[in-house]
Amino acid sequence: MFVVTAAAQTRPKRMPREVRERQMLDAAVAVFARRGYRAASMDEIAELAGASKPLVYLYLNSKEDLFSACIRREAEALIAAVRAAVDPGAPADRRLWNGLRGFFAHTAAHPDGWAVLHCQARTHGEPFALEVGALRQQLVDVVTQLITETAADGGCTAPLPETEVAGLAHALVGAAESLAGWSNERDGAAPSEQETAATLMNFAWTGLENMAHGRRWMPIGA
């Protein structure tokens, strides 16, 4: 007859790999955000995750692979947050507004993830720059679609050339990234995501609305 010993009864259940891996990534994001890529140690990451260093290497290979995995995870979460915030049935200006709010709400709620994406990953060259570039392109694609739909649904009387829409999308994403960095790195009280989104919306929407109706600024003598 099989007898269950006391040791077997008290032995902890093995944690599912996806749970353990998520803990490791959470710990890695926190350490990379605080220390930076080069100064971060696998020992500290393992300790924070409650795992052994050999187990971290077994699951996520090298420090470089771990950092890349952190970038991909945080980038996917940010893109998902922006997409989820946009209501396809909302008026044109509300879609853009909701997308901006989704972006700033996510970056404010996940400052370590944003620090990894915006600060750390940009300063260490290949292959991390490629990961961040892919994230930025996805954001630009989302904003390009929003601008195109905004112009169409808003009764655009002066169609915007594709190159101009692309330029506006890049400018808007760059401004959003800069504002998120400014907001998250402030020593004093940071503005809410709604206030930050409103700052950019007021800057962007007036110009976009004017351009869509043929009201453009031109330099004197041009």
Side-chain angles (χ1 to χ4, degrees):
M1 181 177 65
F2 179 75
V3 178
V4 178
T5 65
Q9 288 177 327
T10 58
R11 186 182 299 132
K13 293 182 179 179
R14 185 175 181 179
M15 187 177 295
R17 179 183 178 115
E18 61 271 17
V19 175
R20 175 61 79 186
E21 192 168 312
R22 184 169 64 248
Q23 290 178 338
M24 292 176 183
L25 288 173
D26 288 342
V29 167
V31 174
F32 284 134
R34 183 169 63 249
R35 304 279 191 202
Y37 173 70
R38 300 201 185 281
S41 74
M42 296 294 273
D43 288 299
E44 185 177 4
I45 292 169
E47 182 179 359
L48 187 58
S52 66
K53 187 164 73 170
L55 188 62
V56 175
Y57 278 112
L58 177 64
Y59 277 26
L60 295 159
N61 301 318
S62 65
K63 181 179 174 182
E64 180 179 307
D65 287 340
L66 176 56
F67 192 54
S68 293
C70 290
I71 294 172
R72 285 193 298 273
R73 190 187 74 164
E74 297 306 312
E76 289 168 2
L78 176 57
I79 292 294
V82 173
R83 291 186 187 279
V86 178
D87 178 4
D93 61 331
R94 297 296 298 186
R95 290 202 293 274
L96 185 57
W97 161 247
N98 288 337
L100 291 175
R101 284 189 63 187
F103 177 87
F104 290 118
H106 185 85
T107 55
H110 302 85
D112 286 348
W114 179 244
V116 166
L117 289 174
H118 185 64
C119 302
Q120 301 302 333
R122 290 173 179 269
T123 60
H124 296 290
E126 303 288 354
F128 309 130
L130 292 177
E131 300 278 3
V132 176
L135 160 68
R136 200 168 194 280
Q137 188 56 55
Q138 288 185 69
L139 285 172
V140 167
D141 291 343
V142 171
V143 174
T144 298
Q145 182 178 355
L146 287 174
I147 292 175
T148 301
E149 292 173 351
T150 293
D153 297 351
C156 178
T157 58
L160 303 178
E162 288 186 11
T163 53
E164 195 162 40
V165 171
L168 289 170
H170 277 276
L172 192 56
V173 168
E177 291 172 339
S178 181
L179 271 176
W182 167 78
S183 178
N184 284 1
E185 294 164 12
R186 285 171 58 91
D187 293 330
S192 68
E193 63 268 16
Q194 183 160 327
E195 292 171 325
T196 308
T199 296
L200 187 52
M201 188 68 183
N202 278 308
F203 178 75
W205 179 255
T206 301
L208 180 60
E209 189 176 36
N210 280 329
M211 290 176 66
H213 290 87
R215 299 188 293 271
R216 293 171 175 269
W217 175 87
M218 294 293 291
I220 296 175

